[in-house]
Amino acid sequence: MTTIRKILGIRPGEGKETFLFFLYFFCLIASIIIGKTARDVFFLSRFDPAFLPHIFIISAACVMVTTIFFIWSSRNKDMFLFATITGTLFALSLLLINTFLNKWTYPLLYVWIDIIGAIIIPQFWILANTRFTSRQAKRLFGPIGAASAFANIFIGFSIQYGIILPQFLLPVAAAFLFFSLLIIYAIKNNTPEYGISQTYYRKGEINTGVSIFTSIKHHKYIGLLCIIVAVSSITITLIEYQFKIIASNTYSENQLASFFGMLYGIVGLVSGFMQIFVLSRILRKYGVLIGLLILPIFLGISTLFLTLSPIIIFALMARLSDLILRFSFHDTTMQIIWLPVSGKLKQFAKPFIDGTVKNTAQGLTGILILGVIGFLGPQFINILIIVFIITWIIGTVFLKKGYLN
């Protein structure tokens, strides 16, 4: 155990808290992977895939409204209690949708999974940010984030080999959310030896009269975060669209489930290795800039291959580059980027950016796809991706300067 702790960078007194957050994140990611697999398989095989850009737009509008309501309702609240309430509601909602699953609930399911992800993941990282210091985060967010990789491996290959059948996807996703509630209770009642900060803000500590837009205007660093999240979201959504359209034209429903399961399994294996043995070392040696640049650079390379030949193998390469590097390097480094932001600003700015800004960009991508296909042709989507990747890289360099300042 001592050797493992040394490898992972876990110091005495940090083990239990780190493990609980690892387990909590595992359950959340598992539920999202299963939910996304269900919605993708059902939508692409039982609905019209050509409606996908419209779903991007609808999803963006719904997520925007939901996250704004989340920000408003979570102010001055105990975040553990709030996480328990949202987890319970989301789990029950998946069971309800599964009961009445039919052709017209597939678009609803697609949008609802986006809403769940936009709430529970930022909520998790807000809790993690309140329980670990910035120094601890650089060491421990890598191992904690590796739960995403393990969830991908476990869930992905379970779906691929038929252990979790398509008709049971949503009930299993709900079960993981219910299990996460027990872990929330365990974390709340755990007091680590190194001490923690409060997980709620006293009434009056947050200036609820200041709007998020005013905060962005007066904090250039927050504005840069908005730009990076928006541009990266547009780029990733364009790549996701191409991948899903090519996959829907290549595989049947059962083949799609197996294919997506294999995809998540591979993502878990590679990204897990990177997060446990590579990420922390690279961040300590080269800093956050390299951690942020790895994803757009590899997406640019894979997009060039896809431009030369739009077939499933190159679409898979682009999607694997996205998922592997986003789950390992990018997402974890982005959480570190938030550490200099004060707690009271972070509590409402982070859900807004990770939820509203990200999904608004996704909605704009839907409009962009419809416009490009209608006026220029689908072959120009790859050129658009490259333009956004260049913008992404330039913005990241400026973000690093803001982080240091």
Side-chain angles (χ1 to χ4, degrees), residues 3-55:
T3 304
I4 295 176
R5 285 182 177 178
K6 286 183 178 180
I7 293 174
L8 298 180
I10 301 174
R11 295 176 181 175
E14 297 174 340
K16 184 177 180 181
E17 185 85 347
T18 302
F19 176 72
L20 287 173
F21 269 94
F22 175 91
L23 201 58
Y24 181 21
F25 199 43
F26 177 92
C27 291
L28 296 184
I29 295 299
S31 66
I32 291 175
I33 290 171
I34 298 171
K36 285 186 174 182
T37 301
R39 67 104 184 259
D40 288 340
V41 169
F42 295 155
F43 187 88
L44 295 176
S45 62
R46 303 179 186 181
F47 208 77
D48 185 3
F51 196 66
L52 201 54
H54 301 83
I55 283 291

Short mmCIF file of all heavy atoms in Angstrom, two decimals, residues 3-55:
data_model
loop_
_atom_site.label_atom_id
_atom_site.label_comp_id
_atom_site.label_asym_id
_atom_site.label_seq_id
_atom_site.Cartn_x
_atom_site.Cartn_y
_atom_site.Cartn_z
N THR A 3 3.83 1.62 -1.30
CA THR A 3 4.38 1.80 -2.65
C THR A 3 3.35 2.42 -3.58
O THR A 3 3.67 3.32 -4.37
CB THR A 3 4.85 0.44 -3.21
OG1 THR A 3 5.79 -0.15 -2.32
CG2 THR A 3 5.50 0.64 -4.58
N ILE A 4 2.13 1.94 -3.49
CA ILE A 4 1.05 2.47 -4.34
C ILE A 4 0.81 3.94 -4.02
O ILE A 4 0.64 4.76 -4.92
CB ILE A 4 -0.24 1.66 -4.13
CG1 ILE A 4 -0.05 0.22 -4.62
CG2 ILE A 4 -1.40 2.32 -4.87
CD1 ILE A 4 -1.23 -0.68 -4.37
N ARG A 5 0.82 4.28 -2.73
CA ARG A 5 0.61 5.69 -2.34
C ARG A 5 1.72 6.58 -2.87
O ARG A 5 1.47 7.70 -3.30
CB ARG A 5 0.53 5.80 -0.82
CG ARG A 5 -0.78 5.30 -0.23
CD ARG A 5 -0.80 5.48 1.27
NE ARG A 5 -2.08 5.07 1.84
CZ ARG A 5 -2.36 5.07 3.14
NH1 ARG A 5 -1.43 5.47 4.01
NH2 ARG A 5 -3.54 4.69 3.58
N LYS A 6 2.94 6.08 -2.85
CA LYS A 6 4.06 6.86 -3.38
C LYS A 6 3.92 7.08 -4.87
O LYS A 6 4.17 8.17 -5.39
CB LYS A 6 5.39 6.15 -3.07
CG LYS A 6 5.81 6.26 -1.61
CD LYS A 6 7.16 5.61 -1.40
CE LYS A 6 7.61 5.76 0.06
NZ LYS A 6 8.94 5.12 0.29
N ILE A 7 3.50 6.03 -5.58
CA ILE A 7 3.32 6.14 -7.04
C ILE A 7 2.22 7.15 -7.36
O ILE A 7 2.36 7.97 -8.29
CB ILE A 7 2.97 4.76 -7.65
CG1 ILE A 7 4.16 3.81 -7.52
CG2 ILE A 7 2.57 4.91 -9.12
CD1 ILE A 7 3.87 2.39 -7.95
N LEU A 8 1.15 7.11 -6.59
CA LEU A 8 0.01 7.99 -6.84
C LEU A 8 0.19 9.38 -6.23
O LEU A 8 -0.61 10.28 -6.50
CB LEU A 8 -1.28 7.36 -6.30
CG LEU A 8 -1.68 6.02 -6.92
CD1 LEU A 8 -2.98 5.51 -6.28
CD2 LEU A 8 -1.87 6.15 -8.44
N GLY A 9 1.20 9.55 -5.38
CA GLY A 9 1.42 10.85 -4.75
C GLY A 9 0.49 11.13 -3.60
O GLY A 9 0.25 12.30 -3.25
N ILE A 10 -0.05 10.07 -2.97
CA ILE A 10 -0.97 10.23 -1.85
C ILE A 10 -0.18 10.20 -0.54
O ILE A 10 0.51 9.23 -0.24
CB ILE A 10 -2.04 9.11 -1.84
CG1 ILE A 10 -2.84 9.15 -3.14
CG2 ILE A 10 -2.96 9.26 -0.64
CD1 ILE A 10 -3.81 7.99 -3.28
N ARG A 11 -0.30 11.25 0.24
CA ARG A 11 0.43 11.36 1.49
C ARG A 11 -0.40 10.86 2.67
O ARG A 11 -1.62 10.72 2.54
CB ARG A 11 0.86 12.82 1.69
CG ARG A 11 1.84 13.30 0.62
CD ARG A 11 2.18 14.76 0.76
NE ARG A 11 3.09 15.20 -0.28
CZ ARG A 11 3.49 16.45 -0.47
NH1 ARG A 11 3.03 17.42 0.35
NH2 ARG A 11 4.32 16.76 -1.45
N PRO A 12 0.24 10.62 3.80
CA PRO A 12 -0.51 10.14 4.98
C PRO A 12 -1.66 11.07 5.35
O PRO A 12 -1.50 12.29 5.36
CB PRO A 12 0.57 10.14 6.08
CG PRO A 12 1.85 9.93 5.34
CD PRO A 12 1.69 10.66 4.05
N GLY A 13 -2.82 10.47 5.64
CA GLY A 13 -4.01 11.24 5.99
C GLY A 13 -4.89 11.61 4.82
O GLY A 13 -6.00 12.11 5.00
N GLU A 14 -4.40 11.36 3.58
CA GLU A 14 -5.17 11.72 2.38
C GLU A 14 -5.85 10.53 1.73
O GLU A 14 -6.67 10.71 0.83
CB GLU A 14 -4.25 12.40 1.35
CG GLU A 14 -3.63 13.70 1.83
CD GLU A 14 -2.62 14.25 0.84
OE1 GLU A 14 -2.13 13.47 0.00
OE2 GLU A 14 -2.32 15.46 0.92
N GLY A 15 -5.51 9.33 2.16
CA GLY A 15 -5.96 8.12 1.47
C GLY A 15 -7.46 7.94 1.43
O GLY A 15 -8.05 7.71 0.37
N LYS A 16 -8.11 8.03 2.60
CA LYS A 16 -9.55 7.78 2.66
C LYS A 16 -10.35 8.79 1.85
O LYS A 16 -11.25 8.43 1.09
CB LYS A 16 -10.03 7.78 4.11
CG LYS A 16 -11.50 7.42 4.27
CD LYS A 16 -11.91 7.38 5.73
CE LYS A 16 -13.39 7.02 5.87
NZ LYS A 16 -13.82 6.99 7.30
N GLU A 17 -10.00 10.07 2.02
CA GLU A 17 -10.71 11.12 1.30
C GLU A 17 -10.53 10.97 -0.22
O GLU A 17 -11.47 11.10 -0.99
CB GLU A 17 -10.21 12.49 1.75
CG GLU A 17 -10.96 13.67 1.16
CD GLU A 17 -12.21 14.01 1.94
OE1 GLU A 17 -12.64 13.21 2.79
OE2 GLU A 17 -12.78 15.08 1.69
N THR A 18 -9.32 10.66 -0.64
CA THR A 18 -9.03 10.47 -2.07
C THR A 18 -9.81 9.29 -2.61
O THR A 18 -10.39 9.36 -3.71
CB THR A 18 -7.52 10.24 -2.28
OG1 THR A 18 -6.79 11.35 -1.75
CG2 THR A 18 -7.20 10.08 -3.75
N PHE A 19 -9.85 8.19 -1.87
CA PHE A 19 -10.57 6.99 -2.32
C PHE A 19 -12.07 7.25 -2.44
O PHE A 19 -12.71 6.81 -3.40
CB PHE A 19 -10.32 5.83 -1.36
CG PHE A 19 -11.11 4.59 -1.70
CD1 PHE A 19 -10.78 3.82 -2.80
CD2 PHE A 19 -12.20 4.21 -0.93
CE1 PHE A 19 -11.51 2.69 -3.13
CE2 PHE A 19 -12.94 3.08 -1.25
CZ PHE A 19 -12.60 2.32 -2.36
N LEU A 20 -12.64 7.97 -1.46
CA LEU A 20 -14.07 8.27 -1.51
C LEU A 20 -14.42 9.13 -2.72
O LEU A 20 -15.43 8.88 -3.40
CB LEU A 20 -14.50 8.96 -0.22
CG LEU A 20 -14.58 8.08 1.03
CD1 LEU A 20 -14.85 8.93 2.27
CD2 LEU A 20 -15.66 7.01 0.87
N PHE A 21 -13.60 10.13 -3.00
CA PHE A 21 -13.85 10.96 -4.17
C PHE A 21 -13.64 10.17 -5.46
O PHE A 21 -14.34 10.37 -6.46
CB PHE A 21 -12.96 12.20 -4.17
CG PHE A 21 -13.60 13.38 -3.49
CD1 PHE A 21 -13.36 13.65 -2.15
CD2 PHE A 21 -14.46 14.21 -4.18
CE1 PHE A 21 -13.96 14.72 -1.51
CE2 PHE A 21 -15.07 15.29 -3.55
CZ PHE A 21 -14.82 15.55 -2.21
N PHE A 22 -12.67 9.26 -5.46
CA PHE A 22 -12.46 8.37 -6.60
C PHE A 22 -13.71 7.54 -6.86
O PHE A 22 -14.19 7.43 -7.99
CB PHE A 22 -11.26 7.46 -6.33
CG PHE A 22 -11.01 6.42 -7.38
CD1 PHE A 22 -10.18 6.68 -8.45
CD2 PHE A 22 -11.61 5.17 -7.29
CE1 PHE A 22 -9.95 5.71 -9.43
CE2 PHE A 22 -11.40 4.19 -8.26
CZ PHE A 22 -10.57 4.47 -9.34
N LEU A 23 -14.25 6.94 -5.79
CA LEU A 23 -15.43 6.08 -5.92
C LEU A 23 -16.66 6.89 -6.35
O LEU A 23 -17.46 6.44 -7.18
CB LEU A 23 -15.70 5.39 -4.57
CG LEU A 23 -16.54 4.12 -4.60
CD1 LEU A 23 -15.91 3.07 -5.49
CD2 LEU A 23 -16.70 3.58 -3.18
N TYR A 24 -16.78 8.09 -5.80
CA TYR A 24 -17.89 8.99 -6.15
C TYR A 24 -17.83 9.35 -7.64
O TYR A 24 -18.84 9.24 -8.35
CB TYR A 24 -17.78 10.24 -5.28
CG TYR A 24 -18.86 11.29 -5.48
CD1 TYR A 24 -20.09 10.98 -6.05
CD2 TYR A 24 -18.64 12.61 -5.08
CE1 TYR A 24 -21.07 11.96 -6.22
CE2 TYR A 24 -19.60 13.59 -5.24
CZ TYR A 24 -20.81 13.27 -5.82
OH TYR A 24 -21.77 14.24 -5.99
N PHE A 25 -16.65 9.71 -8.11
CA PHE A 25 -16.48 10.08 -9.52
C PHE A 25 -16.72 8.87 -10.43
O PHE A 25 -17.29 9.00 -11.51
CB PHE A 25 -15.08 10.64 -9.74
CG PHE A 25 -14.94 11.44 -11.00
CD1 PHE A 25 -15.91 12.35 -11.40
CD2 PHE A 25 -13.82 11.30 -11.81
CE1 PHE A 25 -15.78 13.10 -12.56
CE2 PHE A 25 -13.67 12.04 -12.97
CZ PHE A 25 -14.65 12.93 -13.35
N PHE A 26 -16.30 7.69 -9.98
CA PHE A 26 -16.53 6.46 -10.75
C PHE A 26 -18.02 6.25 -11.00
O PHE A 26 -18.44 5.96 -12.12
CB PHE A 26 -15.95 5.25 -10.00
CG PHE A 26 -16.19 3.94 -10.68
CD1 PHE A 26 -15.26 3.43 -11.56
CD2 PHE A 26 -17.35 3.20 -10.44
CE1 PHE A 26 -15.47 2.21 -12.21
CE2 PHE A 26 -17.58 1.99 -11.06
CZ PHE A 26 -16.63 1.48 -11.95
N CYS A 27 -18.82 6.40 -9.96
CA CYS A 27 -20.27 6.20 -10.09
C CYS A 27 -20.91 7.22 -11.03
O CYS A 27 -21.77 6.87 -11.86
CB CYS A 27 -20.94 6.26 -8.72
SG CYS A 27 -20.54 4.88 -7.65
N LEU A 28 -20.48 8.47 -10.92
CA LEU A 28 -21.04 9.52 -11.78
C LEU A 28 -20.69 9.27 -13.24
O LEU A 28 -21.56 9.35 -14.12
CB LEU A 28 -20.52 10.89 -11.34
CG LEU A 28 -20.91 11.37 -9.94
CD1 LEU A 28 -20.38 12.78 -9.71
CD2 LEU A 28 -22.42 11.34 -9.74
N ILE A 29 -19.41 8.98 -13.51
CA ILE A 29 -18.99 8.74 -14.89
C ILE A 29 -19.64 7.47 -15.44
O ILE A 29 -20.05 7.43 -16.62
CB ILE A 29 -17.46 8.63 -14.97
CG1 ILE A 29 -16.82 9.96 -14.58
CG2 ILE A 29 -17.01 8.23 -16.37
CD1 ILE A 29 -17.19 11.12 -15.48
N ALA A 30 -19.77 6.44 -14.62
CA ALA A 30 -20.42 5.21 -15.07
C ALA A 30 -21.86 5.47 -15.50
O ALA A 30 -22.32 4.99 -16.55
CB ALA A 30 -20.39 4.16 -13.95
N SER A 31 -22.58 6.25 -14.71
CA SER A 31 -23.97 6.55 -15.04
C SER A 31 -24.07 7.36 -16.33
O SER A 31 -24.95 7.13 -17.16
CB SER A 31 -24.65 7.30 -13.89
OG SER A 31 -24.06 8.58 -13.71
N ILE A 32 -23.12 8.29 -16.53
CA ILE A 32 -23.14 9.11 -17.74
C ILE A 32 -22.77 8.29 -18.97
O ILE A 32 -23.39 8.43 -20.04
CB ILE A 32 -22.19 10.32 -17.58
CG1 ILE A 32 -22.75 11.29 -16.55
CG2 ILE A 32 -21.98 11.03 -18.90
CD1 ILE A 32 -21.84 12.44 -16.23
N ILE A 33 -21.77 7.42 -18.84
CA ILE A 33 -21.38 6.58 -19.98
C ILE A 33 -22.54 5.69 -20.41
O ILE A 33 -22.85 5.57 -21.60
CB ILE A 33 -20.16 5.70 -19.60
CG1 ILE A 33 -18.92 6.57 -19.44
CG2 ILE A 33 -19.92 4.63 -20.66
CD1 ILE A 33 -17.74 5.81 -18.87
N ILE A 34 -23.19 5.07 -19.44
CA ILE A 34 -24.32 4.19 -19.76
C ILE A 34 -25.46 5.01 -20.36
O ILE A 34 -26.08 4.60 -21.35
CB ILE A 34 -24.81 3.45 -18.50
CG1 ILE A 34 -23.69 2.56 -17.95
CG2 ILE A 34 -26.03 2.60 -18.81
CD1 ILE A 34 -23.99 1.95 -16.60
N GLY A 35 -25.73 6.18 -19.78
CA GLY A 35 -26.79 7.03 -20.31
C GLY A 35 -26.49 7.51 -21.72
O GLY A 35 -27.37 7.50 -22.59
N LYS A 36 -25.23 7.90 -21.98
CA LYS A 36 -24.87 8.35 -23.32
C LYS A 36 -24.93 7.21 -24.34
O LYS A 36 -25.33 7.40 -25.48
CB LYS A 36 -23.47 8.97 -23.30
CG LYS A 36 -23.42 10.35 -22.69
CD LYS A 36 -22.04 10.97 -22.83
CE LYS A 36 -22.06 12.42 -22.34
NZ LYS A 36 -20.74 13.08 -22.50
N THR A 37 -24.52 6.02 -23.91
CA THR A 37 -24.60 4.86 -24.81
C THR A 37 -26.05 4.58 -25.16
O THR A 37 -26.39 4.34 -26.33
CB THR A 37 -23.97 3.62 -24.15
OG1 THR A 37 -22.60 3.89 -23.83
CG2 THR A 37 -24.03 2.43 -25.09
N ALA A 38 -26.94 4.62 -24.16
CA ALA A 38 -28.36 4.37 -24.40
C ALA A 38 -28.95 5.41 -25.35
O ALA A 38 -29.61 5.06 -26.34
CB ALA A 38 -29.12 4.38 -23.07
N ARG A 39 -28.70 6.68 -25.08
CA ARG A 39 -29.29 7.72 -25.91
C ARG A 39 -28.73 7.70 -27.32
O ARG A 39 -29.45 7.92 -28.29
CB ARG A 39 -29.11 9.09 -25.24
CG ARG A 39 -27.69 9.62 -25.13
CD ARG A 39 -27.46 10.71 -26.15
NE ARG A 39 -26.09 11.18 -26.15
CZ ARG A 39 -25.68 12.31 -25.57
NH1 ARG A 39 -26.52 13.04 -24.88
NH2 ARG A 39 -24.41 12.67 -25.70
N ASP A 40 -27.41 7.42 -27.49
CA ASP A 40 -26.82 7.38 -28.82
C ASP A 40 -27.33 6.19 -29.63
O ASP A 40 -27.69 6.34 -30.80
CB ASP A 40 -25.29 7.31 -28.72
CG ASP A 40 -24.68 8.62 -28.26
OD1 ASP A 40 -25.35 9.66 -28.39
OD2 ASP A 40 -23.53 8.61 -27.78
N VAL A 41 -27.37 5.02 -28.99
CA VAL A 41 -27.84 3.81 -29.69
C VAL A 41 -29.30 3.97 -30.09
O VAL A 41 -29.68 3.70 -31.24
CB VAL A 41 -27.64 2.57 -28.80
CG1 VAL A 41 -28.35 1.37 -29.41
CG2 VAL A 41 -26.15 2.27 -28.64
N PHE A 42 -30.14 4.39 -29.16
CA PHE A 42 -31.57 4.52 -29.44
C PHE A 42 -31.83 5.61 -30.49
O PHE A 42 -32.62 5.43 -31.40
CB PHE A 42 -32.34 4.83 -28.15
CG PHE A 42 -32.29 3.73 -27.14
CD1 PHE A 42 -32.47 4.01 -25.78
CD2 PHE A 42 -32.07 2.42 -27.50
CE1 PHE A 42 -32.42 3.00 -24.82
CE2 PHE A 42 -32.01 1.40 -26.57
CZ PHE A 42 -32.19 1.69 -25.23
N PHE A 43 -31.16 6.73 -30.35
CA PHE A 43 -31.41 7.85 -31.27
C PHE A 43 -30.90 7.54 -32.67
O PHE A 43 -31.61 7.77 -33.66
CB PHE A 43 -30.74 9.12 -30.74
CG PHE A 43 -31.08 10.35 -31.53
CD1 PHE A 43 -32.21 11.10 -31.22
CD2 PHE A 43 -30.29 10.75 -32.60
CE1 PHE A 43 -32.54 12.24 -31.96
CE2 PHE A 43 -30.60 11.88 -33.34
CZ PHE A 43 -31.72 12.62 -33.02
N LEU A 44 -29.69 7.02 -32.79
CA LEU A 44 -29.10 6.80 -34.12
C LEU A 44 -29.75 5.63 -34.86
O LEU A 44 -29.77 5.62 -36.09
CB LEU A 44 -27.59 6.55 -33.98
CG LEU A 44 -26.75 7.73 -33.47
CD1 LEU A 44 -25.30 7.31 -33.29
CD2 LEU A 44 -26.85 8.92 -34.42
N SER A 45 -30.27 4.64 -34.12
CA SER A 45 -30.84 3.45 -34.78
C SER A 45 -32.37 3.51 -34.88
O SER A 45 -32.95 2.90 -35.78
CB SER A 45 -30.43 2.19 -34.02
OG SER A 45 -30.91 2.21 -32.69
N ARG A 46 -33.02 4.22 -33.97
CA ARG A 46 -34.48 4.23 -33.96
C ARG A 46 -35.09 5.59 -34.36
O ARG A 46 -36.30 5.69 -34.53
CB ARG A 46 -35.00 3.86 -32.56
CG ARG A 46 -34.51 2.51 -32.07
CD ARG A 46 -35.03 2.21 -30.67
NE ARG A 46 -34.48 1.00 -30.11
CZ ARG A 46 -34.79 0.51 -28.91
NH1 ARG A 46 -35.68 1.15 -28.15
NH2 ARG A 46 -34.22 -0.60 -28.47
N PHE A 47 -34.23 6.60 -34.48
CA PHE A 47 -34.69 7.92 -34.86
C PHE A 47 -33.90 8.35 -36.10
O PHE A 47 -33.08 7.60 -36.62
CB PHE A 47 -34.48 8.92 -33.70
CG PHE A 47 -35.46 10.07 -33.70
CD1 PHE A 47 -36.76 9.88 -33.25
CD2 PHE A 47 -35.09 11.32 -34.14
CE1 PHE A 47 -37.68 10.92 -33.24
CE2 PHE A 47 -35.98 12.38 -34.13
CZ PHE A 47 -37.28 12.18 -33.68
N ASP A 48 -34.16 9.54 -36.61
CA ASP A 48 -33.48 10.02 -37.81
C ASP A 48 -32.18 10.73 -37.42
O ASP A 48 -32.21 11.81 -36.82
CB ASP A 48 -34.39 10.98 -38.58
CG ASP A 48 -33.79 11.42 -39.91
OD1 ASP A 48 -32.69 10.92 -40.25
OD2 ASP A 48 -34.41 12.25 -40.60
N PRO A 49 -31.00 10.15 -37.77
CA PRO A 49 -29.72 10.79 -37.41
C PRO A 49 -29.55 12.19 -38.02
O PRO A 49 -28.78 12.99 -37.50
CB PRO A 49 -28.68 9.82 -37.99
CG PRO A 49 -29.39 8.51 -38.11
CD PRO A 49 -30.81 8.86 -38.44
N ALA A 50 -30.26 12.46 -39.12
CA ALA A 50 -30.15 13.79 -39.74
C ALA A 50 -30.68 14.89 -38.83
O ALA A 50 -30.39 16.07 -39.03
CB ALA A 50 -30.91 13.80 -41.06
N PHE A 51 -31.44 14.49 -37.80
CA PHE A 51 -31.99 15.45 -36.84
C PHE A 51 -30.98 15.83 -35.76
O PHE A 51 -31.26 16.65 -34.91
CB PHE A 51 -33.24 14.85 -36.20
CG PHE A 51 -34.12 15.84 -35.49
CD1 PHE A 51 -34.79 16.83 -36.20
CD2 PHE A 51 -34.27 15.80 -34.11
CE1 PHE A 51 -35.59 17.76 -35.54
CE2 PHE A 51 -35.08 16.71 -33.45
CZ PHE A 51 -35.73 17.70 -34.18
N LEU A 52 -29.77 15.24 -35.82
CA LEU A 52 -28.76 15.44 -34.79
C LEU A 52 -28.38 16.92 -34.59
O LEU A 52 -28.30 17.37 -33.43
CB LEU A 52 -27.51 14.61 -35.12
CG LEU A 52 -26.55 14.29 -33.97
CD1 LEU A 52 -27.27 13.64 -32.80
CD2 LEU A 52 -25.42 13.40 -34.47
N PRO A 53 -28.15 17.70 -35.65
CA PRO A 53 -27.84 19.12 -35.42
C PRO A 53 -28.96 19.87 -34.71
O PRO A 53 -28.71 20.76 -33.88
CB PRO A 53 -27.64 19.68 -36.84
CG PRO A 53 -27.25 18.50 -37.66
CD PRO A 53 -28.02 17.36 -37.08
N HIS A 54 -30.21 19.50 -34.98
CA HIS A 54 -31.35 20.13 -34.31
C HIS A 54 -31.35 19.78 -32.82
O HIS A 54 -31.68 20.62 -31.97
CB HIS A 54 -32.67 19.68 -34.96
CG HIS A 54 -32.77 20.00 -36.42
ND1 HIS A 54 -32.21 19.19 -37.39
CD2 HIS A 54 -33.35 21.04 -37.07
CE1 HIS A 54 -32.45 19.72 -38.58
NE2 HIS A 54 -33.14 20.84 -38.42
N ILE A 55 -30.95 18.53 -32.51
CA ILE A 55 -30.88 18.10 -31.12
C ILE A 55 -29.80 18.90 -30.38
O ILE A 55 -29.98 19.27 -29.21
CB ILE A 55 -30.58 16.58 -31.03
CG1 ILE A 55 -31.85 15.79 -31.33
CG2 ILE A 55 -30.06 16.20 -29.66
CD1 ILE A 55 -32.92 15.90 -30.27
#
